[in-house]
């Protein structure tokens, strides 16, 4: 991790962004999603590139995380589009390639999303987290709580997802800035 950079995505980043998303889905969801779908998505990244290009153009908050100019993570947050949660900003996606997990990069992206949503005038946010995603523990650590379980449609099937709410984004920012407590193991 020599040269980590978080920046606004451009259309030229679409393939790399979809590469990260497809591989993240494959690694995270293979225990509980059809492997055929996940494999197809990894093997046909180029088919989704136009859709990603459109998202990048439409979203002022689509970011890529790079390591020496290679895209290793993506982030997208935006104004809410769900009437049910109209006072909440929406964290659409955070993905990091598996080989970069455990380095604090998810926390960096999460913090950027919160800062961005605060700048957009939101005090609260929501996201949808597919049931079984281990990231749910991270969200709970930072005060996320499940308010609903929904059907999350994907191509020709659907999975269950939690709607996770976060209140008081400024407080969560403070939590993210606190040094992590280290556990000391004493051997006798």
């Amino acid at each position: 991790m020599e040269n980590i950079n978080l920046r606004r995505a451009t259309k030229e980043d679409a393939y790399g962004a979809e590469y990260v998303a497809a591989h993240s889905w494959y690694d995270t969801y293979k225990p509980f999603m059809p492997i055929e779908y996940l494999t197809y998505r990894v093997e046909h990244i180029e088919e989704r590139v136009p859709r990603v290009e459109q998202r990048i153009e439409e979203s002022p908050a689509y970011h890529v995380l790079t390591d020496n100019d290679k895209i290793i993570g993506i982030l997208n947050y935006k104004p809410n589009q769900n009437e049910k949660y109209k006072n909440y900003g929406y964290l659409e996606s955070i993905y990091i390639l598996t080989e970069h997990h455990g380095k604090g990069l998810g926390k960096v992206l999460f913090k950027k999303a919160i800062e961005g949503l605060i700048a957009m005038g939101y005090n609260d946010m929501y996201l949808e987290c597919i049931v079984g995603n281990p990231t749910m523990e991270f969200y709970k650590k930072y005060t996320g709580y499940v308010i609903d379980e929904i059907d999350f449609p994907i191509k020709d099937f659907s999975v269950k997802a939690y709607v996770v709410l976060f209140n008081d984004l400024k407080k969560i920012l403070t939590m993210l800035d606190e040094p992590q407590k280290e556990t000391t193991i004493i051997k006798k």
Side-chain angles (χ1 to χ4, degrees):
M1 283 198 341
E2 292 294 318
N3 191 12
I4 299 293
N5 184 35
L6 178 61
R7 62 175 172 77
R8 170 82 171 83
T10 66
K11 280 179 66 172
E12 290 73 27
D13 295 320
Y15 184 91
E18 180 55 28
Y19 179 94
V20 168
H23 283 83
S24 294
W25 272 58
Y26 185 90
D27 292 345
T28 302
Y29 300 135
K30 64 185 168 190
F32 44 89
M33 267 193 201
I35 196 70
E36 298 81 11
Y37 168 75
L38 297 170
T39 301
Y40 183 88
R41 189 165 173 184
V42 166
E43 292 175 351
H44 297 89
I45 290 169
E46 65 283 344
E47 290 178 13
R48 293 178 59 94
V49 167
R51 180 177 168 202
V52 176
E53 288 174 341
Q54 182 178 357
R55 279 189 169 164
I56 289 170
E57 283 188 338
E58 292 173 355
S59 176
Y62 199 114
H63 291 77
V64 292
L65 183 69
T66 61
D67 184 1
N68 290 314
D69 296 323
K70 178 187 177 208
I71 297 173
I72 61 169
I74 60 173
L75 165 68
N76 193 23
Y77 56 91
K78 56 188 177 182
N80 177 23
Q81 297 173 327
N82 183 328
E83 185 61 30
K84 189 171 181 180
Y85 305 105
K86 63 182 175 184
N87 296 321
Y88 289 77
Y90 181 49
L91 176 52
E92 183 177 63
S93 55
I94 291 182
Y95 300 119
I96 298 171
L97 291 175
T98 304
E99 59 266 29
H100 294 280
H101 286 189
K103 299 176 182 178
L105 299 174
K107 186 175 173 181
V108 169
L109 295 179
F110 189 67
K111 183 177 179 183
K112 176 67 176 176
I114 290 173
E115 290 169 342
L117 290 170
I118 289 171
M120 289 179 184
Y122 291 101
N123 188 49
D124 307 302
M125 77 173 179
Y126 82 101
L127 57 83
E128 296 156 347
C129 184
I130 294 174
V131 173
N133 185 333
T135 307
M136 191 62 208
E137 292 306 311
F138 173 87
Y139 296 141
K140 287 179 182 177
K141 179 179 178 179
Y142 292 104
T143 74
Y145 61 97
V146 175
I147 191 75
D148 199 3
E149 186 174 303
I150 60 171
D151 287 318
F152 191 89
I154 302 169
K155 207 151 175 110
D156 56 352
F157 65 97
S158 69
V159 295
K160 294 292 182 185
Y162 296 125
V163 176
V164 183
L165 299 184
F166 297 83
N167 301 113
D168 196 352
L169 295 180
K170 289 179 183 173
K171 179 181 176 186
I172 297 169
L173 262 186
T174 302
M175 293 172 67
L176 288 162
D177 287 335
E178 291 175 358
Q180 298 299 305
K181 295 182 175 122
E182 293 186 27
T183 304
T184 304
I185 299 173
I186 301 171
K187 293 184 179 182
K188 292 186 178 184

